[in-house]
Amino acid sequence: MKRILCVVETAYRGTQEEQDDAVLWFSHALKNGGGDVGILLRGNAVNYAVSTQDPAGLVIGKFSIEHPANPNKDLLKMKQAGMPIHVVREDTEERGIAPDSLTQEFELISRRALPGLFAQYDQVWHW
Amino acid sequence: MMAKTLTVCIMEPPYESANSTTSMRIIDAALQKGINVNVFAYEGAVSLTVKDQKPHPNPVHGTSVEEEKHPTTRQLVAGLFELAKEKGVKLDWINCGLCVDERGAGNWIEGPRRGGPGDFHKWVQESNATLVIPTK
Amino acid sequence: MGRYVMIESRDPYESGDVSYFYNLAADLAAAGEQVTLFLVQNGALAARKDAKGDPLGGVLKSRIEVLADSFALRERGIQDSERHPSVKSAEIGDLVDHIMAEDGAKVLWH
């Protein structure tokens, strides 16, 4: 079976209306269907690794968004389901994200190590 | 020799990005070369095939509908299906069902079918190459 | 040795993130992978030889084959004489050929 790495780089795109991050959802669906899928968070998507996110409470007109996406929690579930979750260290540092605010279950990886990570997969989908 | 197969995933809604145009150029080029193509339309891309799309005149240019010949994306996709038929290769186009439902984009042209991530994964495992064209 | 077809659609002056993709291409090449970088859409704007800061300099030093979509060049009025001599003009069909050349290519779009 082809092993797939999904590189996620755009955070919070439509996550209120969709109540999911579309790429994380898709990747998890592939895993649920028997796929072998890993995740690499880079760019502003490294913020998904921050453990204290609170997306709740938006009301637009009369409509309350009841179950907005919590990408951090979704990634934790994906990790628990056996999906490797990698986070580009330098991208967290650029954004001033404190290391102890990151979910510890996710693996920090340096940009220099990306070729080696990519080599572990048959396909690399850059979303 | 058996034809090769390329699987493509697209996400852009119509008329918003050059990604849609380039993705269709790639699909066209592959079909022209006798390559079978699978297209998984995810999120906004499911609106590329909506039958209700209508070309419009251009009041700034002063052209009528007929003069403007405005290409709708459904016409471009229909043209790709015709090309595949002419070349004797397969164009298999799946619109992601949940994405269709939330967008009300279910009235599509002849050719595409409804499906989900499992279909895409099957294609990926069976194809010679896969290209994911995201949105931003 | 793996094979990578990397497609850059964005202008390096519009998005600081494009340098990440160029650097990734160079790192992959340095790791011994075979890398082709194909510029499409506004990514072709980097193909002018007089582009400030020589955005493709690092990539071109890395033995990466850099191709630019001929339609994107034409659409943007980038003449052959303006194009960086190490960036080749190519057809979209050439991109398909690169993707399909052998099974197992990793194809990345940015």
Side-chain angles (χ1 to χ4, degrees), chain A residues 10-29 48 55 65 67-75 77-78, chain B residues 11 42-43 98 102-103:
Chain A
T10 301
Y12 310 105
R13 178 182 61 218
T15 47
Q16 288 285 333
E17 298 94 323
E18 289 280 14
Q19 299 196 134
D20 271 296
D21 174 288
V23 178
L24 296 186
W25 180 89
F26 192 81
S27 306
H28 201 170
Y48 281 172
I65 296 179
H67 306 288
N70 189 319
N72 182 261
K73 292 196 159 63
D74 291 336
L75 283 161
K77 285 185 195 151
M78 291 159 77
Chain B
M11 283 181 81
Y42 187 49
E43 294 288 272
L98 299 183
E102 69 190 2
R103 286 166 181 76

Side-chain angles (χ1 to χ4, degrees), chain A residues 2 9 13 18 22 125 127, chain B residues 42-43 102 124-125 127 135:
Chain A
K2 288 171 188 162
E9 66 177 24
R13 178 182 61 218
E18 289 280 14
W125 300 347
W127 291 92
Chain B
Y42 187 49
E43 294 288 272
E102 69 190 2
V124 164
Q125 297 300 324
S127 301
T135 187

Side-chain angles (χ1 to χ4, degrees), chain C residues 25-68:
Chain C
D27 287 347
L28 286 164
E33 312 288 16
Q34 185 193 336
V35 180
T36 300
L37 178 64
F38 200 101
L39 307 175
V40 299
Q41 298 167 198
N42 285 336
L45 290 169
R48 284 193 174 95
K49 63 178 189 275
D50 293 331
K52 196 169 174 187
D54 190 24
L56 289 170
V59 164
L60 290 167
K61 281 190 197 109
S62 304
R63 299 174 300 106
I64 292 168
E65 183 185 26
V66 182
L67 306 171

Side-chain angles (χ1 to χ4, degrees), chain B residues 38-60:
Chain B
N38 300 320
V39 178
F40 189 83
Y42 187 49
E43 294 288 272
V46 301
S47 296
L48 290 168
T49 54
V50 167
K51 208 194 252 184
D52 305 300
Q53 291 180 11
K54 278 194 215 135
H56 57 69
N58 193 321
V60 171

Side-chain angles (χ1 to χ4, degrees), chain A residues 43-65:
Chain A
N44 54 44
V46 299
N47 205 80
Y48 281 172
V50 172
S51 52
T52 54
Q53 298 183 43
D54 180 11
L58 267 195
V59 178
I60 298 179
K62 296 289 194 184
F63 197 97
S64 301
I65 296 179

